[in-house]
Amino acid sequence: MSETALRLGVLASGRGSNLQAIIDAIEAGRLQARIEVVLSDRADAHALDRACGHGIKAVFVDPKAYAARDLFDSAVVGALRAHQVELVCLAGFMRLLTPGFVAEYRGRIMNIHPALLPAFPGLHAQRQALEYGARVAGCTVHFVDEGVDTGPIILQATVPVLDDDTEESLSARILVEEHAIYPRAIQLFAEGRLAIKGRRVIILDGDRVRS
Ligand code: GAR
């Protein structure tokens, strides 16, 4: 692992397949990053087991132990700071971040969402796309702001919606693309190639070095 590897903190609430895609990209040398810590708001999140399986520190932060959301978020931010995390990756983390958290890591929090934002934000995005009758669905990696899935878009990938699709079959097709674009977006950040200009994210050319 390179000395200059980007220090990641991953937040996940469940299965952790996007976490696994990040781990796989790092282990394959496609992503110059190191996961310093995986944090979960669920003790039973499979993401925690995946982290442990790869020798990555995995921590359950119990929301019930905190009287308010901002106290929970302060604990999470404290853990991220303690690990000198440079980029926070939400990977199926099913809680909204408080404004204090966003302010602490502005421009340094990414999320993966299973829809072509700004269509279908929030929960059950794939079901929303199917019920709406969309012909094309997909996924989005975006920076996180104070809104629900509203931050500047980094990468998107599309998949067709087929006539016989179920929520499960469409979700599975989208998930393949999630696993491709999330590590790619993180690598662009690691290379210092993402510039946020208002709502737009400009992808800079070449081999710029992270400052
Ligand atoms: C993924 O499909 C991700 O896009 C979605 O949750 C799933 C987590 O799967 N996130 C959201 O809906 C956030 N709004 P994973 O735990 O296997 O990565």
Side-chain angles (χ1 to χ4, degrees), residues 92-180:
F93 189 61
M94 301 316 252
R95 299 173 68 89
L96 293 180
L97 304 188
T98 54
F101 189 147
V102 175
E104 184 77 30
Y105 282 95
R106 188 170 299 285
R108 296 189 297 136
I109 311 171
M110 282 186 192
N111 181 43
I112 178 89
H113 183 73
L116 293 173
L117 292 171
F120 314 127
L123 294 175
H124 309 300
Q126 305 95 328
R127 189 191 307 167
Q128 290 185 58
L130 211 48
E131 287 178 351
Y132 195 87
R135 288 287 185 192
V136 178
C139 51
T140 303
V141 181
H142 63 95
F143 285 114
V144 171
D145 65 9
E146 285 78 2
V148 178
D149 302 320
T150 52
I153 291 170
I154 303 166
L155 292 177
Q156 294 184 301
T158 60
V159 302
V161 179
L162 307 180
D163 287 345
D164 60 355
D165 259 334
T166 61
E167 186 179 351
E168 290 69 32
S169 63
L170 179 59
S171 299
R173 195 175 309 116
I174 292 171
L175 196 62
V176 172
E177 300 302 323
E178 294 185 38
H179 296 165

